[in-house]
Amino acid sequence: MILLTIAASTCLLLSMLIMLITSSISKKTSQDREKISPFECGFDPKTSSRIPFSLQFFLIAVIFLIFDVEITLLIPLIIILKTSKTKEFIIISSFFIFILLLGLYHEWNQGALEWAT
């Protein structure tokens, strides 16, 4: 038991010593002009990094995600076609596509798909 405690203490001490040494070696000076200058991006690092973005871009991205998920729900309908009756398949797939088109019409009617106003 004492041997196990000594081994654990040695490992802990050695790990802390290695972390302390690497921490002190890797200290970077923030006064280096080349390290604080922008690197091929053109943004000034001294200003705020919060740049406002277009709300319409966000809405288009959300709409894309919604329709992308709905497409993944449509793909298994092809596999279901083999195991279900044709009439039931047509009714279910037509209803699903009708709901998609209704949502698209609603977004279009609300003006979420128009980029420039």
Side-chain angles (χ1 to χ4, degrees), residues 53-63 112 115:
F53 62 94
S54 173
L55 185 62
Q56 288 180 328
F57 176 76
F58 178 73
L59 288 175
I60 294 290
V62 168
I63 292 170
W115 189 259

Side-chain angles (χ1 to χ4, degrees), residues 45-105:
K46 301 285 185 185
T47 61
S48 174
S49 62
R50 300 277 181 185
I51 299 173
F53 62 94
S54 173
L55 185 62
Q56 288 180 328
F57 176 76
F58 178 73
L59 288 175
I60 294 290
V62 168
I63 292 170
F64 172 76
L65 286 175
I66 289 170
F67 281 101
D68 194 37
V69 168
E70 291 169 351
I71 293 289
T72 60
L73 293 175
L74 277 174
I75 291 175
L77 284 178
I78 298 168
I79 299 170
I80 293 173
L81 177 62
K82 295 179 183 177
T83 59
S84 67
K85 297 178 183 173
T86 307
K87 185 177 179 181
E88 292 174 359
F89 174 77
I90 290 174
I91 291 172
I92 291 172
S93 61
S94 298
F95 183 69
F96 190 75
I97 291 174
F98 175 73
I99 291 174
L100 287 179
L101 290 175
L102 193 64
L104 181 63
Y105 174 73

